[in-house]
Amino acid sequence: MIGSALLALAAALSTAAAANEPLTARAVIERGIAAHGGELFRNPSSLKLSGTATFYDAQTGKAGSTADDYRMWRTFDEARTSAHGASGKVRITARAGERTLFDIGYDGKTTWTERGIMPKAKADAYWASNFGFGIVRRALDEGFTLSLAPPRNIGGRETHIVRITDPQGAHTLFGFDVESGFITYMAFDAPRGFHERLYGDFIRLDNGWVQARSVTLLYGGVMSNTVFWSSAAVGEAVEDSRFQPPAGMGMAD
């Protein structure tokens, strides 16, 4: 009984000591990755999401359009080092009934939309205003710098803020809910303006992956759109043709 009591006391002291250790950016990210699914979250081969999206008019504040069919297909580059450059492959389609609101793809080299192939300079600026979340998966790799920023209250919840600096010197802020470890916030400077995202309504899939079912995007402090994901699949095969521009497509105007 004495031995058991001593073991219990040692465990309690160890837990208390860990709780009193100085908080580090690396520890916050490690906990966040574990909370979102661990190695599956850090190195998924693919991600398929579907749901709806509402887009807002920045001048009137009203909902400008709604996509009742909003889908994303994504494959990942595990060697990614640039936070805000295009990486892997991606396809996003937004439809309202039979009408296509937009359709954009990147096959690893070429960016295209329903209007044609996008010139490289324009494509680079587009992705620099949109790519950013996935770099948290590489943040523990060599070449990245991590630092703590002042904590914030986001959505009424205490949130740790970590600054991730990629090897090229680009900064991205990530907010991790103190209680759950979930990523609830991301922000970075983008060609379109200071870009922020708010994540919420989390669900854990059977394989352990945690998905935010609501994502709100803001530019320059103004809400641009909110996506509501209703289904998610991780690691399923995605045909390469999904990302390629249609045969014979020309340059966009």
Side-chain angles (χ1 to χ4, degrees):
M1 291 181 64
I2 294 175
S4 297
L6 289 174
L7 288 173
L9 177 60
L13 291 173
S14 176
T15 300
N20 290 325
E21 289 179 358
L23 185 70
T24 67
R26 186 177 185 88
V28 172
I29 291 178
E30 287 176 341
R31 179 173 180 252
I33 289 174
H36 277 274
E39 186 59 24
L40 178 63
F41 175 77
R42 191 165 184 268
N43 289 306
S45 58
S46 68
L47 178 63
K48 300 179 184 178
L49 297 171
S50 64
T52 64
T54 300
F55 301 87
Y56 300 96
D57 187 320
Q59 303 305 316
T60 66
K62 297 180 180 179
S65 59
T66 297
D68 52 31
D69 185 358
Y70 191 81
R71 299 173 187 261
M72 183 182 79
W73 298 262
R74 186 86 169 87
T75 61
F76 299 90
D77 176 9
E78 294 184 6
R80 178 180 181 180
T81 61
S82 177
H84 308 302
S87 71
K89 299 178 182 180
V90 64
R91 173 86 176 273
I92 303 172
T93 64
R95 294 187 174 88
E98 298 299 317
R99 182 167 63 96
T100 296
L101 300 179
F102 65 83
D103 188 2
I104 186 165
Y106 174 70
D107 64 1
K109 294 182 179 179
T110 301
T111 299
W112 56 276
T113 74
E114 72 283 1
R115 299 179 179 179
I117 294 174
M118 191 181 294
K120 187 178 186 307
K122 186 176 180 180
D124 288 347
Y126 176 84
W127 295 121
S129 290
N130 288 277
F131 270 28
F133 181 86
I135 206 62
V136 71
R137 299 187 171 94
R138 307 272 60 86
L140 301 178
D141 295 348
E142 186 176 352
F144 288 82
T145 302
L146 312 176
S147 59
L148 289 172
R152 291 178 55 181
N153 184 300
I154 295 178
R157 299 179 66 84
E158 187 178 358
T159 306
H160 291 310
I161 303 295
V162 174
R163 181 185 297 104
I164 299 174
T165 304
D166 72 18
Q168 289 74 42
H171 305 293
T172 311
L173 297 176
F174 281 87
F176 297 82
D177 181 75
V178 169
E179 182 178 345
S180 67
F182 294 159
I183 299 168
T184 57
Y185 179 77
M186 183 191 74
F188 58 89
D189 287 318
R192 187 175 167 183
F194 186 63
H195 181 37
E196 299 172 281
R197 294 185 198 172
L198 298 169
Y199 300 89
D201 191 18
F202 295 92
I203 185 173
R204 187 179 300 277
L205 306 185
D206 291 341
N207 59 11
W209 176 278
V210 168
Q211 179 65 46
R213 289 187 289 187
S214 71
V215 185
T216 296
L217 286 70
L218 304 91
Y219 291 92
V222 177
M223 188 161 62
S224 171
N225 62 286
T226 299
V227 179
F228 303 95
W229 299 120
S230 56
S231 69
V234 184
E236 294 185 358
V238 183
E239 58 276 18
D240 205 50
S241 60
R242 174 75 64 183
F243 307 106
Q244 297 171 352
M249 173 176 276
M251 297 295 295
D253 295 334

